[in-house]
Each structure stands twice: as structure tokens, then as C-alpha cells.
Amino acid sequence: MTDSANATVIPFVIDDEEGESNGNRAERLFLSEAIRMAEAIIFASAEPVTERALAARLPDCVDLRLALGELQAAYDKRGVNLVKVGDAWAFRTASDLAFLMSRDTVHQKKLSRAALEVLAIIAYHQPVTRAEIEDIRGVETSKGTLDTLLETEWVRMRGRRKTPGRPVTYGTTEKFLDHFQLEEIRDLPGMEELKGAGLLSTRMPSNFSIPQPPADPDALTEDEDPLTDIDLEELGLLTPRIESD
């Protein structure tokens, strides 16, 4: 039997480039198929797909960043775009066509001013406790306000502070990034951007500053403990275990 009879047949074709070696053509064909696989996985998912999940389902030797970069470029001028949400990827309607979806959108109740203030504090100051939020706002924060933000799934309980009383710390989620079209939490607008948008007075105190959110909002800080099952039971996030007699 000849070598050609044993060759593997690849069931798709891409344009050949003049002078391209057989090895380069094979690599290009392999990458093209990996891009198609990534496209199918992300398209079929109801939630953004993490790079870890994609890597687990694609062939081991695939350059994932290169494949995603080419897929993103391919959708750059189309009606839907491939966008990065934290460490995950998702297809979203192109921003200039969002008006076409307005009649099909379920309009949710707007957040109160207090909830927006608390959300902004959590986003910029995370990890932050309820007492720290109240200290920054200068007023008491009701439990209902935090409950509302937790229900939107834009805010989560991330740990407990290593201080007396072990207060819960709060942070943002990937759904927060997705909703506000941020690739990472450090893409939040800075002081000059907020002033330009009219959200900050131009006569701010000279010592006023906006904190830089953490590079990795999921990583616990040195003064945080992770939430245990007992903590989750106390917070009503986990059904208490029933001890048998």
C-alpha cells in the first residue's frame, strides 16, 4: 500500500498561498479547523465560555490565543462580534446595532441611586465590606440594597475579612463585566473619563483619587479568608445539612 493511501483526508479546503510549504499549509488547515471548533462551542453556549473550558475541548497543540484572535477579527465587521468578558468569550450583537434588539428586550426595573452608589463602590474598592461601604458613602446601607445587587448577579460574596466579627467581603462578577461591556475590571473609567462624562465635578479636592481595582478580582487578598460551607449555611446560600440520628 502506498503512503498516499495511508494519508489522513482533511474534510475542508482553504485557499492555498503561492510558495507556501506543505508544512505551513497543514498547520493552517489545522488552525482553521480549531477556529471552527471554538466558534461552534462559543456559539452554542448560553454563557460566556472560559479559555480553560475551550482549551479542554480543543486539541492540545492548538494556539488558543491565536485561534481566538483570528476568530475575533473575522467577526469584527459583522452583525455580531466576538468579545472577551474577563477570562471568557461570547458572541454579542454589534454595539451599533443594539437598537434593533430594543423591542425584544425585557426592560428590568432601574436600580435605585443608593444601589448604583453601592455598586460603584464595590466595583472600584473590591474587596469591600458593608461597614467599609457605609464609611465611604457616609450613610447606612440597607440589607435590601445589597440583596438587590446580589440578585442581579453583578455582585457576589467573595470571602470574610480577617478582622473581629469576620465581616463578608463583596466583589463584582463576570456578569457585571458582560453587562457593562468590560473586558476586565481595570477597564472601568478613570477620574478623567468620569469628569469628561459629567459624572464628577471639575472642582474635586486636590487629594481626591479613584482606587485602581485589582488585576485579578477573583483572587483573595491576604486579609481575606475563603467562604466555607459553614459560612454559606449561615449566609443562607447553602441548605443546612441534616444530621442523621
PDB file of all heavy atoms in Angstrom, residues 186-216:
ATOM      1  N   ARG A 186     -10.269  46.368  35.372  1.00  0.00           N
ATOM      2  CA  ARG A 186      -9.427  47.562  35.270  1.00  0.00           C
ATOM      3  C   ARG A 186      -9.778  48.438  34.074  1.00  0.00           C
ATOM      4  O   ARG A 186      -9.167  49.488  33.870  1.00  0.00           O
ATOM      5  CB  ARG A 186      -7.948  47.160  35.235  1.00  0.00           C
ATOM      6  CG  ARG A 186      -7.453  46.651  36.586  1.00  0.00           C
ATOM      7  CD  ARG A 186      -5.956  46.689  36.702  1.00  0.00           C
ATOM      8  NE  ARG A 186      -5.526  46.425  38.057  1.00  0.00           N
ATOM      9  CZ  ARG A 186      -4.270  46.532  38.480  1.00  0.00           C
ATOM     10  NH1 ARG A 186      -3.329  46.888  37.632  1.00  0.00           N
ATOM     11  NH2 ARG A 186      -3.952  46.274  39.732  1.00  0.00           N
ATOM     12  N   ASP A 187     -10.748  48.006  33.268  1.00  0.00           N
ATOM     13  CA  ASP A 187     -11.232  48.840  32.168  1.00  0.00           C
ATOM     14  C   ASP A 187     -12.291  49.834  32.638  1.00  0.00           C
ATOM     15  O   ASP A 187     -12.824  50.598  31.819  1.00  0.00           O
ATOM     16  CB  ASP A 187     -11.800  47.965  31.052  1.00  0.00           C
ATOM     17  CG  ASP A 187     -10.717  47.209  30.304  1.00  0.00           C
ATOM     18  OD1 ASP A 187      -9.569  47.683  30.294  1.00  0.00           O
ATOM     19  OD2 ASP A 187     -11.015  46.137  29.741  1.00  0.00           O
ATOM     20  N   LEU A 188     -12.604  49.836  33.936  1.00  0.00           N
ATOM     21  CA  LEU A 188     -13.530  50.838  34.472  1.00  0.00           C
ATOM     22  C   LEU A 188     -12.978  52.233  34.190  1.00  0.00           C
ATOM     23  O   LEU A 188     -11.766  52.450  34.198  1.00  0.00           O
ATOM     24  CB  LEU A 188     -13.693  50.652  35.991  1.00  0.00           C
ATOM     25  CG  LEU A 188     -14.581  49.496  36.453  1.00  0.00           C
ATOM     26  CD1 LEU A 188     -14.397  49.264  37.944  1.00  0.00           C
ATOM     27  CD2 LEU A 188     -16.050  49.771  36.144  1.00  0.00           C
ATOM     28  N   PRO A 189     -13.851  53.198  33.920  1.00  0.00           N
ATOM     29  CA  PRO A 189     -13.359  54.551  33.612  1.00  0.00           C
ATOM     30  C   PRO A 189     -12.597  55.169  34.772  1.00  0.00           C
ATOM     31  O   PRO A 189     -12.951  54.985  35.938  1.00  0.00           O
ATOM     32  CB  PRO A 189     -14.642  55.331  33.299  1.00  0.00           C
ATOM     33  CG  PRO A 189     -15.739  54.554  33.957  1.00  0.00           C
ATOM     34  CD  PRO A 189     -15.316  53.120  33.885  1.00  0.00           C
ATOM     35  N   GLY A 190     -11.530  55.899  34.431  1.00  0.00           N
ATOM     36  CA  GLY A 190     -10.742  56.600  35.442  1.00  0.00           C
ATOM     37  C   GLY A 190     -11.327  57.970  35.736  1.00  0.00           C
ATOM     38  O   GLY A 190     -12.392  58.349  35.223  1.00  0.00           O
ATOM     39  N   MET A 191     -10.610  58.759  36.551  1.00  0.00           N
ATOM     40  CA  MET A 191     -11.139  60.042  37.014  1.00  0.00           C
ATOM     41  C   MET A 191     -11.357  61.015  35.853  1.00  0.00           C
ATOM     42  O   MET A 191     -12.380  61.686  35.787  1.00  0.00           O
ATOM     43  CB  MET A 191     -10.200  60.654  38.048  1.00  0.00           C
ATOM     44  CG  MET A 191     -10.757  61.902  38.705  1.00  0.00           C
ATOM     45  SD  MET A 191     -10.041  62.231  40.318  1.00  0.00           S
ATOM     46  CE  MET A 191      -8.333  62.516  39.848  1.00  0.00           C
ATOM     47  N   GLU A 192     -10.405  61.067  34.908  1.00  0.00           N
ATOM     48  CA  GLU A 192     -10.555  62.000  33.794  1.00  0.00           C
ATOM     49  C   GLU A 192     -11.742  61.616  32.905  1.00  0.00           C
ATOM     50  O   GLU A 192     -12.472  62.480  32.405  1.00  0.00           O
ATOM     51  CB  GLU A 192      -9.264  62.047  32.977  1.00  0.00           C
ATOM     52  CG  GLU A 192      -8.073  62.626  33.731  1.00  0.00           C
ATOM     53  CD  GLU A 192      -8.356  64.023  34.286  1.00  0.00           C
ATOM     54  OE1 GLU A 192      -8.966  64.842  33.557  1.00  0.00           O
ATOM     55  OE2 GLU A 192      -7.991  64.292  35.443  1.00  0.00           O
ATOM     56  N   GLU A 193     -11.935  60.309  32.706  1.00  0.00           N
ATOM     57  CA  GLU A 193     -13.065  59.851  31.898  1.00  0.00           C
ATOM     58  C   GLU A 193     -14.391  60.180  32.579  1.00  0.00           C
ATOM     59  O   GLU A 193     -15.359  60.578  31.925  1.00  0.00           O
ATOM     60  CB  GLU A 193     -12.954  58.347  31.653  1.00  0.00           C
ATOM     61  CG  GLU A 193     -11.774  57.956  30.773  1.00  0.00           C
ATOM     62  CD  GLU A 193     -11.571  56.460  30.728  1.00  0.00           C
ATOM     63  OE1 GLU A 193     -11.210  55.880  31.770  1.00  0.00           O
ATOM     64  OE2 GLU A 193     -11.784  55.876  29.658  1.00  0.00           O
ATOM     65  N   LEU A 194     -14.431  59.997  33.895  1.00  0.00           N
ATOM     66  CA  LEU A 194     -15.661  60.305  34.631  1.00  0.00           C
ATOM     67  C   LEU A 194     -15.960  61.805  34.609  1.00  0.00           C
ATOM     68  O   LEU A 194     -17.112  62.222  34.500  1.00  0.00           O
ATOM     69  CB  LEU A 194     -15.545  59.812  36.074  1.00  0.00           C
ATOM     70  CG  LEU A 194     -15.498  58.286  36.250  1.00  0.00           C
ATOM     71  CD1 LEU A 194     -15.197  57.922  37.693  1.00  0.00           C
ATOM     72  CD2 LEU A 194     -16.820  57.656  35.816  1.00  0.00           C
ATOM     73  N   LYS A 195     -14.907  62.618  34.700  1.00  0.00           N
ATOM     74  CA  LYS A 195     -15.108  64.072  34.602  1.00  0.00           C
ATOM     75  C   LYS A 195     -15.619  64.439  33.219  1.00  0.00           C
ATOM     76  O   LYS A 195     -16.530  65.254  33.066  1.00  0.00           O
ATOM     77  CB  LYS A 195     -13.793  64.803  34.881  1.00  0.00           C
ATOM     78  CG  LYS A 195     -13.388  64.866  36.343  1.00  0.00           C
ATOM     79  CD  LYS A 195     -12.098  65.665  36.497  1.00  0.00           C
ATOM     80  CE  LYS A 195     -11.684  65.761  37.961  1.00  0.00           C
ATOM     81  NZ  LYS A 195     -10.403  66.509  38.119  1.00  0.00           N
ATOM     82  N   GLY A 196     -15.032  63.827  32.181  1.00  0.00           N
ATOM     83  CA  GLY A 196     -15.437  64.120  30.810  1.00  0.00           C
ATOM     84  C   GLY A 196     -16.877  63.745  30.540  1.00  0.00           C
ATOM     85  O   GLY A 196     -17.552  64.373  29.720  1.00  0.00           O
ATOM     86  N   ALA A 197     -17.364  62.705  31.251  1.00  0.00           N
ATOM     87  CA  ALA A 197     -18.749  62.273  31.086  1.00  0.00           C
ATOM     88  C   ALA A 197     -19.711  63.068  31.963  1.00  0.00           C
ATOM     89  O   ALA A 197     -20.924  62.828  31.933  1.00  0.00           O
ATOM     90  CB  ALA A 197     -18.876  60.787  31.406  1.00  0.00           C
ATOM     91  N   GLY A 198     -19.172  64.012  32.740  1.00  0.00           N
ATOM     92  CA  GLY A 198     -20.007  64.827  33.608  1.00  0.00           C
ATOM     93  C   GLY A 198     -20.452  64.131  34.875  1.00  0.00           C
ATOM     94  O   GLY A 198     -21.383  64.587  35.541  1.00  0.00           O
ATOM     95  N   LEU A 199     -19.782  63.027  35.219  1.00  0.00           N
ATOM     96  CA  LEU A 199     -20.164  62.270  36.413  1.00  0.00           C
ATOM     97  C   LEU A 199     -19.385  62.702  37.646  1.00  0.00           C
ATOM     98  O   LEU A 199     -19.699  62.272  38.753  1.00  0.00           O
ATOM     99  CB  LEU A 199     -19.954  60.767  36.165  1.00  0.00           C
ATOM    100  CG  LEU A 199     -20.785  60.181  35.019  1.00  0.00           C
ATOM    101  CD1 LEU A 199     -20.422  58.725  34.795  1.00  0.00           C
ATOM    102  CD2 LEU A 199     -22.279  60.309  35.328  1.00  0.00           C
ATOM    103  N   LEU A 200     -18.360  63.521  37.453  1.00  0.00           N
ATOM    104  CA  LEU A 200     -17.601  64.071  38.573  1.00  0.00           C
ATOM    105  C   LEU A 200     -17.473  65.579  38.386  1.00  0.00           C
ATOM    106  O   LEU A 200     -17.343  66.068  37.260  1.00  0.00           O
ATOM    107  CB  LEU A 200     -16.196  63.454  38.646  1.00  0.00           C
ATOM    108  CG  LEU A 200     -16.057  62.037  39.206  1.00  0.00           C
ATOM    109  CD1 LEU A 200     -14.585  61.624  39.181  1.00  0.00           C
ATOM    110  CD2 LEU A 200     -16.596  61.938  40.624  1.00  0.00           C
ATOM    111  N   SER A 201     -17.495  66.300  39.479  1.00  0.00           N
ATOM    112  CA  SER A 201     -17.311  67.748  39.408  1.00  0.00           C
ATOM    113  C   SER A 201     -15.884  68.063  38.967  1.00  0.00           C
ATOM    114  O   SER A 201     -14.940  67.348  39.295  1.00  0.00           O
ATOM    115  CB  SER A 201     -17.581  68.368  40.789  1.00  0.00           C
ATOM    116  OG  SER A 201     -17.195  69.740  40.788  1.00  0.00           O
ATOM    117  N   THR A 202     -15.735  69.125  38.214  1.00  0.00           N
ATOM    118  CA  THR A 202     -14.390  69.543  37.794  1.00  0.00           C
ATOM    119  C   THR A 202     -13.624  70.192  38.939  1.00  0.00           C
ATOM    120  O   THR A 202     -12.420  70.404  38.834  1.00  0.00           O
ATOM    121  CB  THR A 202     -14.491  70.534  36.621  1.00  0.00           C
ATOM    122  OG1 THR A 202     -15.326  71.640  37.010  1.00  0.00           O
ATOM    123  CG2 THR A 202     -15.075  69.858  35.391  1.00  0.00           C
ATOM    124  N   ARG A 203     -14.341  70.483  40.037  1.00  0.00           N
ATOM    125  CA  ARG A 203     -13.693  71.107  41.200  1.00  0.00           C
ATOM    126  C   ARG A 203     -13.549  70.096  42.326  1.00  0.00           C
ATOM    127  O   ARG A 203     -14.040  70.289  43.425  1.00  0.00           O
ATOM    128  CB  ARG A 203     -14.516  72.305  41.672  1.00  0.00           C
ATOM    129  CG  ARG A 203     -14.632  73.426  40.642  1.00  0.00           C
ATOM    130  CD  ARG A 203     -15.445  74.584  41.192  1.00  0.00           C
ATOM    131  NE  ARG A 203     -15.552  75.678  40.236  1.00  0.00           N
ATOM    132  CZ  ARG A 203     -16.218  76.816  40.475  1.00  0.00           C
ATOM    133  NH1 ARG A 203     -16.836  76.988  41.652  1.00  0.00           N
ATOM    134  NH2 ARG A 203     -16.264  77.771  39.550  1.00  0.00           N
ATOM    135  N   MET A 204     -12.880  69.014  42.027  1.00  0.00           N
ATOM    136  CA  MET A 204     -12.661  67.988  43.047  1.00  0.00           C
ATOM    137  C   MET A 204     -11.498  68.397  43.938  1.00  0.00           C
ATOM    138  O   MET A 204     -10.576  69.099  43.491  1.00  0.00           O
ATOM    139  CB  MET A 204     -12.356  66.643  42.382  1.00  0.00           C
ATOM    140  CG  MET A 204     -13.460  66.130  41.486  1.00  0.00           C
ATOM    141  SD  MET A 204     -15.003  65.839  42.369  1.00  0.00           S
ATOM    142  CE  MET A 204     -14.503  64.534  43.481  1.00  0.00           C
ATOM    143  N   PRO A 205     -11.490  67.976  45.220  1.00  0.00           N
ATOM    144  CA  PRO A 205     -10.353  68.258  46.099  1.00  0.00           C
ATOM    145  C   PRO A 205      -9.056  67.729  45.496  1.00  0.00           C
ATOM    146  O   PRO A 205      -9.045  66.721  44.788  1.00  0.00           O
ATOM    147  CB  PRO A 205     -10.717  67.504  47.395  1.00  0.00           C
ATOM    148  CG  PRO A 205     -12.204  67.361  47.339  1.00  0.00           C
ATOM    149  CD  PRO A 205     -12.557  67.224  45.898  1.00  0.00           C
ATOM    150  N   SER A 206      -7.957  68.419  45.760  1.00  0.00           N
ATOM    151  CA  SER A 206      -6.673  68.046  45.163  1.00  0.00           C
ATOM    152  C   SER A 206      -6.216  66.657  45.574  1.00  0.00           C
ATOM    153  O   SER A 206      -5.487  65.992  44.840  1.00  0.00           O
ATOM    154  CB  SER A 206      -5.599  69.069  45.550  1.00  0.00           C
ATOM    155  OG  SER A 206      -5.472  69.147  46.972  1.00  0.00           O
ATOM    156  N   ASN A 207      -6.647  66.209  46.753  1.00  0.00           N
ATOM    157  CA  ASN A 207      -6.217  64.889  47.235  1.00  0.00           C
ATOM    158  C   ASN A 207      -7.198  63.772  46.868  1.00  0.00           C
ATOM    159  O   ASN A 207      -7.046  62.635  47.297  1.00  0.00           O
ATOM    160  CB  ASN A 207      -6.023  64.904  48.752  1.00  0.00           C
ATOM    161  CG  ASN A 207      -7.318  65.231  49.510  1.00  0.00           C
ATOM    162  OD1 ASN A 207      -8.285  65.704  48.909  1.00  0.00           O
ATOM    163  ND2 ASN A 207      -7.315  64.985  50.809  1.00  0.00           N
ATOM    164  N   PHE A 208      -8.227  64.108  46.060  1.00  0.00           N
ATOM    165  CA  PHE A 208      -9.211  63.098  45.685  1.00  0.00           C
ATOM    166  C   PHE A 208      -8.619  62.149  44.648  1.00  0.00           C
ATOM    167  O   PHE A 208      -7.951  62.565  43.709  1.00  0.00           O
ATOM    168  CB  PHE A 208     -10.470  63.765  45.116  1.00  0.00           C
ATOM    169  CG  PHE A 208     -11.536  62.791  44.676  1.00  0.00           C
ATOM    170  CD1 PHE A 208     -12.411  62.243  45.595  1.00  0.00           C
ATOM    171  CD2 PHE A 208     -11.645  62.407  43.347  1.00  0.00           C
ATOM    172  CE1 PHE A 208     -13.387  61.343  45.200  1.00  0.00           C
ATOM    173  CE2 PHE A 208     -12.612  61.510  42.941  1.00  0.00           C
ATOM    174  CZ  PHE A 208     -13.485  60.981  43.876  1.00  0.00           C
ATOM    175  N   SER A 209      -8.863  60.862  44.829  1.00  0.00           N
ATOM    176  CA  SER A 209      -8.366  59.868  43.870  1.00  0.00           C
ATOM    177  C   SER A 209      -9.362  58.721  43.768  1.00  0.00           C
ATOM    178  O   SER A 209     -10.174  58.508  44.669  1.00  0.00           O
ATOM    179  CB  SER A 209      -6.995  59.333  44.285  1.00  0.00           C
ATOM    180  OG  SER A 209      -7.084  58.656  45.528  1.00  0.00           O
ATOM    181  N   ILE A 210      -9.295  58.017  42.655  1.00  0.00           N
ATOM    182  CA  ILE A 210     -10.134  56.846  42.440  1.00  0.00           C
ATOM    183  C   ILE A 210      -9.249  55.615  42.548  1.00  0.00           C
ATOM    184  O   ILE A 210      -8.212  55.540  41.871  1.00  0.00           O
ATOM    185  CB  ILE A 210     -10.818  56.888  41.061  1.00  0.00           C
ATOM    186  CG1 ILE A 210     -11.810  58.044  41.025  1.00  0.00           C
ATOM    187  CG2 ILE A 210     -11.524  55.579  40.754  1.00  0.00           C
ATOM    188  CD1 ILE A 210     -12.503  58.212  39.694  1.00  0.00           C
ATOM    189  N   PRO A 211      -9.606  54.660  43.399  1.00  0.00           N
ATOM    190  CA  PRO A 211      -8.752  53.479  43.565  1.00  0.00           C
ATOM    191  C   PRO A 211      -8.676  52.645  42.303  1.00  0.00           C
ATOM    192  O   PRO A 211      -9.611  52.627  41.500  1.00  0.00           O
ATOM    193  CB  PRO A 211      -9.421  52.710  44.709  1.00  0.00           C
ATOM    194  CG  PRO A 211     -10.854  53.149  44.657  1.00  0.00           C
ATOM    195  CD  PRO A 211     -10.822  54.580  44.224  1.00  0.00           C
ATOM    196  N   GLN A 212      -7.532  51.973  42.132  1.00  0.00           N
ATOM    197  CA  GLN A 212      -7.359  51.077  40.991  1.00  0.00           C
ATOM    198  C   GLN A 212      -7.865  49.695  41.380  1.00  0.00           C
ATOM    199  O   GLN A 212      -7.370  49.097  42.325  1.00  0.00           O
ATOM    200  CB  GLN A 212      -5.878  50.990  40.610  1.00  0.00           C
ATOM    201  CG  GLN A 212      -5.563  50.051  39.472  1.00  0.00           C
ATOM    202  CD  GLN A 212      -5.894  50.650  38.114  1.00  0.00           C
ATOM    203  OE1 GLN A 212      -6.590  51.634  38.028  1.00  0.00           O
ATOM    204  NE2 GLN A 212      -5.411  50.032  37.059  1.00  0.00           N
ATOM    205  N   PRO A 213      -8.892  49.169  40.697  1.00  0.00           N
ATOM    206  CA  PRO A 213      -9.390  47.831  41.031  1.00  0.00           C
ATOM    207  C   PRO A 213      -8.285  46.786  40.879  1.00  0.00           C
ATOM    208  O   PRO A 213      -7.315  46.995  40.134  1.00  0.00           O
ATOM    209  CB  PRO A 213     -10.514  47.609  40.006  1.00  0.00           C
ATOM    210  CG  PRO A 213     -10.910  48.968  39.552  1.00  0.00           C
ATOM    211  CD  PRO A 213      -9.646  49.768  39.572  1.00  0.00           C
ATOM    212  N   PRO A 214      -8.405  45.655  41.561  1.00  0.00           N
ATOM    213  CA  PRO A 214      -7.373  44.622  41.477  1.00  0.00           C
ATOM    214  C   PRO A 214      -7.283  44.015  40.088  1.00  0.00           C
ATOM    215  O   PRO A 214      -8.284  43.940  39.365  1.00  0.00           O
ATOM    216  CB  PRO A 214      -7.829  43.582  42.509  1.00  0.00           C
ATOM    217  CG  PRO A 214      -9.308  43.779  42.616  1.00  0.00           C
ATOM    218  CD  PRO A 214      -9.527  45.252  42.425  1.00  0.00           C
ATOM    219  N   ALA A 215      -6.071  43.580  39.710  1.00  0.00           N
ATOM    220  CA  ALA A 215      -5.881  42.955  38.400  1.00  0.00           C
ATOM    221  C   ALA A 215      -6.668  41.660  38.291  1.00  0.00           C
ATOM    222  O   ALA A 215      -7.241  41.349  37.252  1.00  0.00           O
ATOM    223  CB  ALA A 215      -4.393  42.708  38.154  1.00  0.00           C
ATOM    224  N   ASP A 216      -6.702  40.892  39.377  1.00  0.00           N
ATOM    225  CA  ASP A 216      -7.451  39.636  39.401  1.00  0.00           C
ATOM    226  C   ASP A 216      -8.509  39.719  40.497  1.00  0.00           C
ATOM    227  O   ASP A 216      -8.222  39.456  41.668  1.00  0.00           O
ATOM    228  CB  ASP A 216      -6.513  38.450  39.665  1.00  0.00           C
ATOM    229  CG  ASP A 216      -7.238  37.108  39.604  1.00  0.00           C
ATOM    230  OD1 ASP A 216      -8.460  37.106  39.334  1.00  0.00           O
ATOM    231  OD2 ASP A 216      -6.591  36.071  39.831  1.00  0.00           O
TER     232      ASP A 216
END
